Amino acid sequence: MNSLSDVDCQACGACCSFSADWPRFSTESDDALDLLPPRFVAADETGMRCSGSRCDALSGRVGFETSCLVYEIRPVVCRECVPGDDACLMARAAFGLTLPQQILG
């Protein structure tokens, strides 16, 4: 592992557990949103359903092993999340997850 793009999201999950405000729908079509299981959509239909700050579609333990239960049909905001970007680093810091020393230099 030697670049921020090598950050393993499946060993993290912090971005999906950091804020209930993040997994919001923006440019999704109605057809795309209809593919999401209703149990993962917020009651007001503006984004993903969260329990506290954690997206309900996140499975596993943050910082160890996680996966998205709707990965193939996840919303645009989730698709645009970039490993190692400012939002990623802020979420990781909130959980005390540091980057591997090889990346930090």
Side-chain angles (χ1 to χ4, degrees):
M1 192 180 301
N2 54 24
S3 76
L4 289 176
S5 64
D6 290 333
V7 173
D8 183 2
C9 294
Q10 290 184 309
C12 183
C15 62
C16 302
S17 301
F18 178 70
S19 170
D21 294 331
W22 279 12
R24 296 289 156 215
F25 302 144
S26 56
T27 61
E28 291 83 6
S29 69
D30 287 341
D31 290 339
L33 294 176
D34 287 344
L35 296 174
L36 290 169
R39 73 179 189 267
F40 295 128
V41 177
D44 65 5
E45 298 183 349
T46 61
M48 298 296 286
R49 181 182 311 272
C50 293
S51 296
S53 297
R54 182 184 170 118
C55 178
D56 286 356
L58 181 67
S59 176
R61 186 172 167 206
V62 173
F64 293 92
E65 184 176 347
T66 60
S67 64
C68 175
L69 299 175
V70 295
Y71 185 80
E72 294 299 321
I73 55 175
R74 68 197 185 281
V76 172
V77 68
C78 302
R79 292 176 186 277
E80 291 177 345
C81 186
V82 177
D85 70 5
D86 288 343
C88 166
L89 298 178
M90 181 172 44
R92 288 179 66 88
F95 284 89
L97 301 172
T98 60
L99 292 174
Q101 191 59 40
Q102 304 93 306
I103 292 175
L104 295 174

